[in-house]
Amino acid sequence: MNKKLGLTALGATLAIGLTACGGEGAGSNTDTENAAPEDLTIGVSMPTETSERWIADGANVEAQLEEAGYDVNLLYAGDDIPTQMQQIDQMITEGADALIVAAIDGTALSSQLDAAADQGIPVISYDRLIRDTENVDFYVSFDNYKVGVAQGTALLTGLGILNEDGSEGTATGPFNVELFAGSLDDNNAHFFWDGAMDTLQPYIDNGTLVVKSGQTGIEQAATLRWSQETAQKRMEDLLTSSYSDGSVLNGVLSPFDGISRGIITALQNAGYGTPEKPMPVITGQDAEIASVKLIADGVQDSTIFKDTRLLAEQAVAAAEAYLEGEEPEANDTETYDNGVKVVPSYLLPVETVYQDNIQSVLIDSGYYTAEEVAAGQTD
Ligand code: GAL
């Protein structure tokens, strides 16, 4: 039977498709309503090219917007907050008609978005919620709490505490685990952590899981900028501080494939990954190609697949709706409070990938070819 409780489809509630209300004036711009797509430019601001997922996101959004006839101004900000601010300013100055933004720091863009609002430019927050401003019109993402639940569940399944069908497994532990979180200035990091910890906490409380370092708070577990190097360093420090006595690490909660790769490097350097000292069960997110190969090779245990093609589709649909004077369709109007207002959202489902469903989830769907998985890189 196929392992994976991983399919966290959002179910009927999301299928209903509520209609967004609000929009703060976006969508009422008669200039764009009557314009041909060819005469409209959409600014797309992406955080970084160091992660393969954002390269795929940028490429998908750009291709789909161009397909619909729009001009696209796609810029990457090198994970530098002032660069992203400056690039968005520039997009506005150069006459962007709509903005699609994946923020580096979700709280840092208020003055740019004030300027956008002044000019009636609709703003779509892409995967990461832009916080502390009224001037974000729509949010496209995945169910980020469920991503965390899926990560916690994958850790428990990998350790044998849960069975593949979700029932209690035979493994009783105790298992030594360590916990990693994402960048705290990214709203998503908190949703992932909450979902994972709600899943893992009962097993920590009853002693099945032991966090030997004692680092169980999100601030201690955080990884600024989701950096692979920072994660590697923290894993090295944890091994030194808590495992030098010869005890063995059995599992690591990791919220993102780049972080997982840093953790894996630290563990390999410390002699993990041999028959005597197997690699701990390590989770991930994004199904980045390098990590999918690590899963195929039995090094990383799982990742959470977020289909960036579908996310791009939702971002493009939202931009188009605004430019045509309409409101995009939301399927969640409750969850994503950005500190000023609840931002109407379209959330997509996610799926857990393990070694045995790489073929069905990632290859059969055309996301990667078998050759790309074998090579660990895209063509
Ligand atoms: C988050 C995103 C994750 C992962 C991470 C690091 O905002 O939701 O999927 O990509 O950033 O890039």
Side-chain angles (χ1 to χ4, degrees), residues 5 149-164 166-169 171 175 177 196 198-204 208-209 253 281 283 301-302 354:
L5 355 141
V149 171
Q151 288 169 336
T153 303
L155 182 59
L156 295 172
T157 305
L159 290 169
I161 297 168
L162 292 182
N163 290 322
E164 298 173 357
S167 60
E168 290 288 321
F175 295 108
V177 299
D198 286 352
T199 309
L200 298 177
Q201 195 65 51
Y203 297 91
I204 296 175
T208 307
L209 300 179
L253 174 76
V281 173
T283 64
D301 193 62
S302 65
Y354 301 83

Side-chain angles (χ1 to χ4, degrees), residues 48 51 53-54 127-128 141 144 186 188-189 192 226 255-256 285-286 306:
T48 176
S51 157
R53 80 146 284 191
W54 295 113
D127 200 34
R128 297 174 172 176
S141 189
N144 293 303
D186 180 343
N188 286 349
F192 302 152
W226 305 87
F256 163 55
Q285 176 172 204
D286 289 334
K306 297 162 61 169

